[in-house]
Amino acid sequence: MSAVDSVAWQALAAHARAPQPHLRERFAADPQRFQHFSATWNDWLLDYSKQRVAAATMPLLFALWQAADVRGWSERMRGAEAINHTEGRAALHIALRYGKGAFLHNGRDVMPGVRAVLDKMERFVDAIHGCHWRGATGEPISDVVNIGIGGSDLGPRMATQALAAYRHPGVRVHYVANLDGADLATVLEELQPRTTLFVVASKTFTTQETMQNAYSARAWLTRELGEAAVSRHFVAVSTNLTEVARFGIGAENVFEFWDWVGGRFSLWSAIGLPLALAVGFPHFRELLAGAHAMDEHFFAAPPAENLPGLLALIEVWNTNFLGAGTRALLPYSQSLSLLPRYLQQLEMESNGKLVDRAGKPLACAVAPVLWGEAGTNGQHAFYQLLHQGGRLVPCDFIAMREPDFALPGHHEKLLANCFAQGEALMRGKTQAEVRAEMLANHIPESVVACLAPYKVFPGNQPSTTLLLPRLDPHNLGALIALYEHKVFVESCIWNINPFDQWGVEYGKQLASRLLPIMEGKAPADGLDSSTSGLIAYCKK
Ligand code: F6P
């Protein structure tokens, strides 16, 4: 029986139908609300007291966790069962950061292979940083371009930006993903073939965008340096060694990973190579250690203390019982400004599904639309809607107690803004408060009467604040793993497979059908009038 059919689910539905006090009333009624609805892990703090939860809500959500058999599914993951059943694969990203001991998959220990690739990555990173690996003309490598898309781009790109304070001075790392030639062209404009290294990162090594960009990059390089230069300027990260060889990259320049690593869970594998080149290998190992620490927390802590579990349960409460269709991710950290994009893939590609594990239509809403922006920038863009747009938009604030770039005067203001937004969204401002405030400022009654309605804030907008001590490799690893496990817990509750992504296939299939038509090599037969009209207009 799935959690959606459980007694806990029914009880939560009844609980949600009962009158729900405004968040400001909840705070007024319980001066200890922060203590009652917050959790810590090491020196992290998760404050969910500004969520629309009551004392009775959390035990019901914990019962839902039990009904979803989160522990059973976690054990299946750890036991390397093929929980990605539609692709017949295990989901073993946790093994990539396991560090010590053996990790069995089909009776074989995967750890020697994992460690061998990590060691090969380390040697390579050290060779580039130490200028032992040089380009075809003997010059050291100054720029690395990662060519990949989706899971082969978003993770290392986000983490490279997040760890800007840890950058190795000798090498600049760039990322190219888009099929639009503007992406590659604008990056190459700044670079010299003699000093550029390309990392072609693709699990399948067949992804259209990546292969097009890789071949264009290769043409750019060989135009100046000749074919023989490819082996000094291209390395690959892939599970598909045959296709890598066909591209012309020798086995010695391939960093392997395995089909039990999903694309959006692959940062911990050799897909992390450009990040390791950007920040150095000791920092990459720290990232893995941080993720492993979060794994241990997730697998051991009861739901009331389990940070990924709490985030997941709150999202289920907001989505399935309060009717939220979206969630805003608001890191008050410029370095984490790519986190919303990264989590869009992690959360929406994983849990944006139509059917359950048995292939039956889902009876409940799943993954809300995730979006967001770094604070304070978002405040000057879309926060107006959060405050007065009349929509329920649960918000996740993320902030660091210490800055990663300590310019005097910045960080306190940043934190003050972060906490003020959570407070404003929770509390709101009534018409009576608006009037009193305006009159106290000696504004004439006629103006007060006219403007007061525009200055009312309904409040009651739920938010969670996650406070980390600082943004370092260890905490970043743990933060990413936190969201991976959150997604996993939700998938247990919604009874879906979070590790496949069939929904991205149809568009790819149709694009390959349209390409020969666009190129004039096939007739535009059988197309709808819009698609054929668009193609005809382009060819005019
Ligand atoms: O968009 C679908 C997808 O398969 C993602 O899951 C994956 O991260 C991305 O394409 C890139 O795939 P690959 O690493 O095989 O090039």
Side-chain angles (χ1 to χ4, degrees), residues 482-528:
L482 168 94
Y483 280 103
E484 288 181 349
H485 293 312
K486 166 194 175 282
V487 164
F488 179 69
V489 172
E490 289 171 349
S491 79
C492 299
I493 293 171
W494 292 325
N495 193 28
I496 54 186
N497 175 5
F499 299 113
D500 62 11
Q501 58 283 318
W502 299 105
V504 299
E505 296 303 324
Y506 189 35
K508 291 184 193 171
Q509 193 187 348
L510 292 192
S512 352
R513 202 187 91 205
L514 293 186
L515 181 60
I517 301 174
M518 298 286 304
E519 293 172 335
K521 294 178 184 160
D525 292 343
L527 298 182
D528 63 82

Coordinates of all heavy atoms in Angstrom, one line a residue, residues 482-528:
L482 N 21.8 16.8 0.9 CA 20.6 17.1 1.7 C 19.4 17.1 0.7 O 18.4 16.5 0.9 CB 20.7 18.5 2.4 CG 19.4 19.1 2.9 CD1 19.3 18.7 4.4 CD2 19.4 20.6 2.9
Y483 N 19.6 17.8 -0.4 CA 18.5 17.9 -1.4 C 18.3 16.6 -2.1 O 17.2 16.3 -2.5 CB 18.7 19.1 -2.3 CG 18.3 20.4 -1.7 CD1 19.3 21.3 -1.2 CD2 17.0 20.8 -1.5 CE1 18.9 22.5 -0.6 CE2 16.6 21.9 -0.9 CZ 17.5 22.8 -0.4 OH 17.1 24.0 0.2
E484 N 19.4 15.9 -2.4 CA 19.2 14.6 -3.0 C 18.3 13.7 -2.2 O 17.4 13.0 -2.7 CB 20.6 13.9 -3.2 CG 21.4 14.5 -4.3 CD 22.8 13.8 -4.4 OE1 23.1 12.9 -3.6 OE2 23.5 14.1 -5.4
H485 N 18.6 13.7 -0.8 CA 17.8 12.8 0.0 C 16.4 13.3 0.2 O 15.5 12.5 0.4 CB 18.5 12.6 1.4 CG 19.8 11.8 1.2 ND1 19.9 10.7 0.5 CD2 21.1 12.1 1.7 CE1 21.1 10.2 0.5 NE2 21.9 11.1 1.2
K486 N 16.2 14.6 0.2 CA 14.9 15.2 0.3 C 14.0 14.7 -0.9 O 12.9 14.2 -0.7 CB 15.0 16.7 0.2 CG 13.6 17.4 -0.1 CD 13.8 18.9 -0.4 CE 12.5 19.5 -0.9 NZ 12.1 19.2 -2.2
V487 N 14.6 14.7 -2.1 CA 14.0 14.3 -3.3 C 13.6 12.8 -3.2 O 12.5 12.3 -3.5 CB 14.9 14.5 -4.5 CG1 14.4 13.7 -5.7 CG2 14.9 16.0 -4.9
F488 N 14.5 12.0 -2.6 CA 14.3 10.6 -2.4 C 13.2 10.3 -1.5 O 12.3 9.5 -1.7 CB 15.6 10.0 -1.9 CG 15.5 8.5 -1.7 CD1 15.4 7.6 -2.7 CD2 15.6 8.0 -0.4 CE1 15.3 6.2 -2.5 CE2 15.5 6.6 -0.2 CZ 15.3 5.7 -1.2
V489 N 13.1 11.0 -0.3 CA 12.0 10.8 0.6 C 10.7 11.1 0.0 O 9.7 10.4 0.1 CB 12.2 11.7 1.9 CG1 11.0 11.6 2.8 CG2 13.5 11.3 2.7
E490 N 10.6 12.2 -0.8 CA 9.4 12.6 -1.5 C 9.0 11.5 -2.4 O 7.8 11.1 -2.5 CB 9.6 13.9 -2.2 CG 9.7 15.1 -1.3 CD 10.1 16.4 -2.1 OE1 10.5 16.3 -3.3 OE2 10.0 17.4 -1.4
S491 N 10.0 10.9 -3.1 CA 9.6 9.8 -4.1 C 9.1 8.6 -3.4 O 8.2 7.9 -3.9 CB 10.9 9.5 -4.9 OG 11.7 8.6 -4.1
C492 N 9.5 8.4 -2.1 CA 9.0 7.2 -1.4 C 7.5 7.5 -1.0 O 6.7 6.7 -1.1 CB 9.8 7.0 -0.1 SG 11.5 6.6 -0.3
I493 N 7.2 8.8 -0.6 CA 5.9 9.1 -0.2 C 4.9 9.1 -1.5 O 3.8 8.6 -1.4 CB 5.9 10.5 0.5 CG1 6.6 10.4 1.8 CG2 4.4 11.0 0.7 CD1 6.9 11.7 2.5
W494 N 5.4 9.6 -2.6 CA 4.6 9.7 -3.8 C 4.6 8.4 -4.5 O 3.9 8.2 -5.6 CB 5.0 10.9 -4.7 CG 4.8 12.2 -4.1 CD1 3.7 12.6 -3.3 CD2 5.6 13.4 -4.2 NE1 3.8 13.9 -2.9 CE2 4.9 14.5 -3.5 CE3 6.8 13.7 -4.8 CZ2 5.5 15.7 -3.4 CZ3 7.3 15.0 -4.8 CH2 6.6 16.0 -4.0
N495 N 5.5 7.5 -4.1 CA 5.6 6.1 -4.7 C 6.0 6.2 -6.2 O 5.4 5.6 -7.0 CB 4.3 5.4 -4.5 CG 4.4 3.9 -4.9 OD1 5.5 3.3 -4.7 ND2 3.4 3.3 -5.3
I496 N 7.0 7.0 -6.4 CA 7.5 7.1 -7.8 C 9.0 6.8 -7.9 O 9.7 6.8 -6.9 CB 7.2 8.5 -8.4 CG1 7.8 9.6 -7.6 CG2 5.7 8.8 -8.7 CD1 7.4 11.0 -8.1
N497 N 9.4 6.5 -9.1 CA 10.8 6.2 -9.3 C 11.5 7.6 -9.7 O 11.3 8.1 -10.7 CB 11.0 5.3 -10.5 CG 12.4 5.0 -10.9 OD1 13.3 5.5 -10.3 ND2 12.6 4.3 -12.0
P498 N 12.4 8.1 -8.8 CA 13.0 9.4 -9.0 C 14.2 9.3 -9.9 O 14.8 10.3 -10.1 CB 13.3 9.8 -7.6 CG 13.7 8.6 -6.9 CD 12.8 7.5 -7.5
F499 N 14.6 8.1 -10.3 CA 15.9 8.0 -11.0 C 15.8 7.8 -12.5 O 16.8 7.7 -13.2 CB 16.6 6.8 -10.4 CG 16.9 7.0 -8.9 CD1 16.3 6.2 -8.0 CD2 17.7 8.0 -8.5 CE1 16.5 6.4 -6.6 CE2 17.9 8.3 -7.1 CZ 17.3 7.4 -6.2
D500 N 14.6 7.8 -13.1 CA 14.5 7.8 -14.5 C 14.0 9.1 -15.0 O 13.7 10.0 -14.2 CB 13.6 6.6 -15.1 CG 12.1 6.7 -14.6 OD1 11.8 7.8 -14.0 OD2 11.4 5.8 -14.7
Q501 N 13.9 9.3 -16.3 CA 13.5 10.7 -16.9 C 13.0 10.5 -18.3 O 13.5 11.1 -19.3 CB 14.7 11.7 -16.9 CG 16.0 11.3 -17.6 CD 16.8 10.3 -16.9 OE1 17.0 10.4 -15.6 NE2 17.3 9.3 -17.6
W502 N 12.0 9.6 -18.4 CA 11.4 9.3 -19.8 C 10.9 10.6 -20.4 O 10.7 10.7 -21.6 CB 10.4 8.2 -19.7 CG 11.0 6.9 -19.1 CD1 10.8 6.4 -17.9 CD2 11.9 6.1 -19.8 NE1 11.6 5.3 -17.7 CE2 12.2 5.0 -18.9 CE3 12.4 6.0 -21.1 CZ2 13.1 4.0 -19.3 CZ3 13.3 5.0 -21.4 CH2 13.6 4.0 -20.5
G503 N 10.4 11.5 -19.6 CA 9.8 12.7 -20.1 C 10.7 13.6 -21.0 O 10.2 14.5 -21.7
V504 N 12.0 13.4 -21.0 CA 12.8 14.2 -21.8 C 13.0 13.6 -23.2 O 13.6 14.2 -24.1 CB 14.2 14.5 -21.2 CG1 14.0 15.2 -19.9 CG2 15.0 13.2 -21.0
E505 N 12.5 12.3 -23.4 CA 12.8 11.6 -24.6 C 12.0 12.1 -25.8 O 12.5 12.1 -27.0 CB 12.6 10.1 -24.4 CG 13.5 9.5 -23.4 CD 15.0 9.7 -23.7 OE1 15.3 9.6 -24.9 OE2 15.8 9.9 -22.8
Y506 N 10.7 12.4 -25.6 CA 9.8 12.7 -26.8 C 10.3 13.9 -27.6 O 10.4 13.8 -28.8 CB 8.4 12.9 -26.2 CG 7.3 13.0 -27.2 CD1 7.4 12.2 -28.4 CD2 6.2 13.8 -27.0 CE1 6.3 12.3 -29.3 CE2 5.2 13.9 -28.0 CZ 5.3 13.1 -29.1 OH 4.3 13.2 -30.0
G507 N 10.7 14.9 -26.9 CA 11.2 16.1 -27.6 C 12.4 15.8 -28.4 O 12.6 16.3 -29.6
K508 N 13.3 15.0 -27.8 CA 14.6 14.6 -28.6 C 14.2 13.9 -29.8 O 14.8 14.1 -30.9 CB 15.4 13.7 -27.7 CG 16.1 14.4 -26.5 CD 17.0 13.4 -25.8 CE 17.4 13.8 -24.4 NZ 18.1 12.8 -23.7
Q509 N 13.2 12.9 -29.7 CA 12.8 12.1 -30.8 C 12.2 13.0 -31.9 O 12.6 12.8 -33.1 CB 11.7 11.2 -30.3 CG 11.4 10.0 -31.1 CD 10.1 9.3 -30.5 OE1 9.7 9.5 -29.4 NE2 9.5 8.4 -31.3
L510 N 11.4 13.9 -31.6 CA 10.8 14.8 -32.6 C 11.8 15.7 -33.2 O 11.7 16.0 -34.4 CB 9.6 15.6 -32.0 CG 8.4 14.8 -31.6 CD1 7.2 15.8 -31.3 CD2 8.0 13.8 -32.6
A511 N 12.8 16.1 -32.4 CA 13.8 17.0 -33.0 C 14.6 16.3 -34.1 O 14.9 16.8 -35.1 CB 14.8 17.5 -31.9
S512 N 14.9 15.0 -33.8 CA 15.6 14.2 -34.9 C 14.8 14.0 -36.1 O 15.3 13.9 -37.2 CB 16.1 12.8 -34.4 OG 16.0 12.7 -33.1
R513 N 13.4 14.0 -35.9 CA 12.6 13.8 -37.1 C 12.5 15.1 -37.9 O 12.4 15.2 -39.1 CB 11.2 13.4 -36.6 CG 10.3 12.8 -37.7 CD 8.9 12.6 -37.3 NE 8.1 13.7 -37.6 CZ 7.0 14.1 -37.0 NH1 6.6 13.4 -36.0 NH2 6.3 15.1 -37.4
L514 N 12.6 16.3 -37.2 CA 12.4 17.6 -37.8 C 13.7 18.0 -38.5 O 13.7 18.8 -39.5 CB 12.0 18.7 -36.8 CG 10.6 18.5 -36.3 CD1 10.3 19.8 -35.4 CD2 9.6 18.4 -37.4
L515 N 14.9 17.5 -38.0 CA 16.1 18.1 -38.5 C 16.3 17.8 -40.0 O 16.6 18.8 -40.8 CB 17.3 17.4 -37.8 CG 18.7 17.9 -38.2 CD1 18.9 19.4 -38.0 CD2 19.8 17.1 -37.4
P516 N 16.0 16.6 -40.6 CA 16.2 16.5 -42.0 C 15.2 17.3 -42.8 O 15.5 17.8 -43.9 CB 15.9 15.0 -42.3 CG 15.5 14.4 -41.0 CD 15.8 15.3 -39.9
I517 N 14.0 17.6 -42.2 CA 13.1 18.5 -42.9 C 13.6 19.9 -42.9 O 13.6 20.6 -43.9 CB 11.7 18.5 -42.1 CG1 11.2 17.0 -42.1 CG2 10.7 19.4 -42.8 CD1 9.9 16.8 -41.3
M518 N 14.2 20.4 -41.8 CA 14.8 21.7 -41.7 C 16.0 21.8 -42.7 O 16.2 22.9 -43.3 CB 15.5 22.0 -40.3 CG 14.5 22.0 -39.2 SD 13.5 23.4 -39.1 CE 14.6 24.8 -39.1
E519 N 16.7 20.7 -42.9 CA 17.9 20.7 -43.8 C 17.5 20.5 -45.3 O 18.3 20.5 -46.1 CB 18.9 19.6 -43.4 CG 19.5 19.9 -42.1 CD 20.3 18.7 -41.6 OE1 20.1 17.5 -41.9 OE2 21.3 18.9 -40.8
G520 N 16.1 20.4 -45.5 CA 15.7 20.2 -46.9 C 15.9 18.8 -47.4 O 15.9 18.5 -48.6
K521 N 16.2 17.8 -46.5 CA 16.5 16.5 -47.0 C 15.3 15.5 -46.9 O 15.4 14.4 -47.3 CB 17.7 15.9 -46.1 CG 19.0 16.6 -46.2 CD 20.0 16.0 -45.3 CE 21.3 16.8 -45.4 NZ 22.2 16.5 -44.2
A522 N 14.2 16.0 -46.3 CA 13.1 15.2 -46.2 C 11.8 16.1 -46.3 O 11.9 17.2 -46.0 CB 13.0 14.5 -44.8
P523 N 10.7 15.5 -46.9 CA 9.5 16.3 -47.1 C 8.8 16.6 -45.7 O 8.9 15.8 -44.8 CB 8.6 15.4 -47.9 CG 9.1 14.0 -47.7 CD 10.6 14.1 -47.3
A524 N 8.1 17.7 -45.6 CA 7.4 18.1 -44.4 C 6.1 17.4 -44.3 O 5.1 18.1 -44.0 CB 7.3 19.6 -44.3
D525 N 6.1 16.1 -44.5 CA 4.8 15.4 -44.5 C 4.3 15.1 -43.1 O 5.2 14.8 -42.2 CB 5.0 14.0 -45.2 CG 5.2 14.2 -46.7 OD1 4.9 15.4 -47.2 OD2 5.7 13.3 -47.4
G526 N 3.1 15.1 -42.9 CA 2.5 14.6 -41.6 C 2.7 15.6 -40.5 O 2.4 15.2 -39.3
L527 N 3.1 16.8 -40.7 CA 3.3 17.8 -39.6 C 2.0 18.6 -39.4 O 1.3 18.8 -40.3 CB 4.4 18.7 -39.9 CG 5.8 18.1 -40.1 CD1 6.8 19.3 -40.4 CD2 6.3 17.4 -38.9
D528 N 1.8 19.0 -38.1 CA 0.7 19.9 -37.9 C 1.0 21.2 -38.5 O 2.1 21.5 -38.9 CB 0.5 20.0 -36.3 CG 1.7 20.7 -35.7 OD1 1.8 21.9 -35.8 OD2 2.6 19.9 -35.2

